[in-house]
Amino acid sequence: MEKDRIEKKIRLHAPLERAWHAISDSRQFGSWFGVDFDRPFRAGHRLTGIIVPTTVDAEVARLQKPYEVKAFVCLVENVEPMERLSFRWHPFAVEPDVNYSKEPMTLVQFGLEESSEGTLLKITESGLDQIPEARRAEAYAANEGVWSKQVELIRKYLEKD
């Protein structure tokens, strides 16, 4: 399998500014995504967090439970207000005895576009073809599922109020 990227799109029934804050505020992001970060998203900064169950979907929270308190590290690349947030991470880095720090990181981008019906969110993860071959297919399959769930989680988060 030589797939380099995963792309997901969803129309969010929320104004652009509200969608932007759900993505760019690390506390809000963590609430729907399922991670507790140690600091705000800032370009050039490394964030460390731990996986926690999402607050917006009990079934997904149950699926996240086995990974609870697992370290979550990302390097923030860009923060372009109302348009894009991007970071690098080690995809599907969940095995407790594996040091992923020597592996290439993938790039995750959250792009927003205002529309007449709310906001279009496009999530793209690229660079998956650089993951070591021994775990590339598993990482791709896992993250394909993760991003399918995450677009629904942000939708639910934005619709909850």
Side-chain angles (χ1 to χ4, degrees), residues 6-23:
I6 297 168
E7 291 184 2
K8 301 292 178 188
K9 293 180 184 178
I10 189 168
R11 186 156 319 277
L12 302 169
H13 298 289
L16 177 63
E17 185 173 357
R18 185 145 185 266
W20 171 249
H21 289 296
I23 290 167

Side-chain angles (χ1 to χ4, degrees), residues 4-10 109 121-126 128 140 143-144 147-148 151:
D4 175 52
R5 67 181 49 237
I6 297 168
E7 291 184 2
K8 301 292 178 188
K9 293 180 184 178
I10 189 168
Q109 298 183 75
L121 168 63
K122 180 179 175 184
I123 301 173
T124 306
E125 182 173 10
S126 60
L128 289 148
Y140 184 94
N143 280 21
E144 175 72 29
W147 293 121
S148 293
V151 293

Side-chain angles (χ1 to χ4, degrees), residues 70 90 92-103 132 135:
K70 174 83 178 120
H90 295 287
F92 198 58
V94 297
E95 292 300 322
D97 300 328
V98 175
N99 179 357
Y100 297 96
S101 66
K102 303 280 191 239
E103 288 187 6
R135 66 181 216 90

Side-chain angles (χ1 to χ4, degrees), residues 10-105:
I10 189 168
R11 186 156 319 277
L12 302 169
H13 298 289
L16 177 63
E17 185 173 357
R18 185 145 185 266
W20 171 249
H21 289 296
I23 290 167
S24 66
D25 179 297
S26 63
R27 289 181 193 261
Q28 288 188 49
F29 181 99
S31 178
W32 61 266
F33 190 93
V35 65
D36 183 16
F37 284 115
D38 62 345
R39 62 171 60 180
F41 289 127
R42 298 275 186 270
H45 286 194
R46 173 189 168 114
L47 272 73
T48 303
I50 58 169
I51 296 174
V52 296
T54 179
T55 62
V56 297
D57 186 294
E59 177 60 22
V60 174
R62 186 185 64 73
L63 294 171
Q64 291 171 324
K65 196 80 171 146
Y67 305 105
E68 197 169 13
V69 305
K70 174 83 178 120
F72 185 108
V73 177
C74 68
L75 303 173
V76 181
E77 288 239 329
N78 291 306
V79 179
E80 300 170 37
M82 304 298 176
E83 291 182 25
R84 183 173 340 301
L85 170 78
S86 63
F87 59 76
R88 292 192 176 274
W89 72 347
H90 295 287
F92 198 58
V94 297
E95 292 300 322
D97 300 328
V98 175
N99 179 357
Y100 297 96
S101 66
K102 303 280 191 239
E103 288 187 6
M105 299 173 107

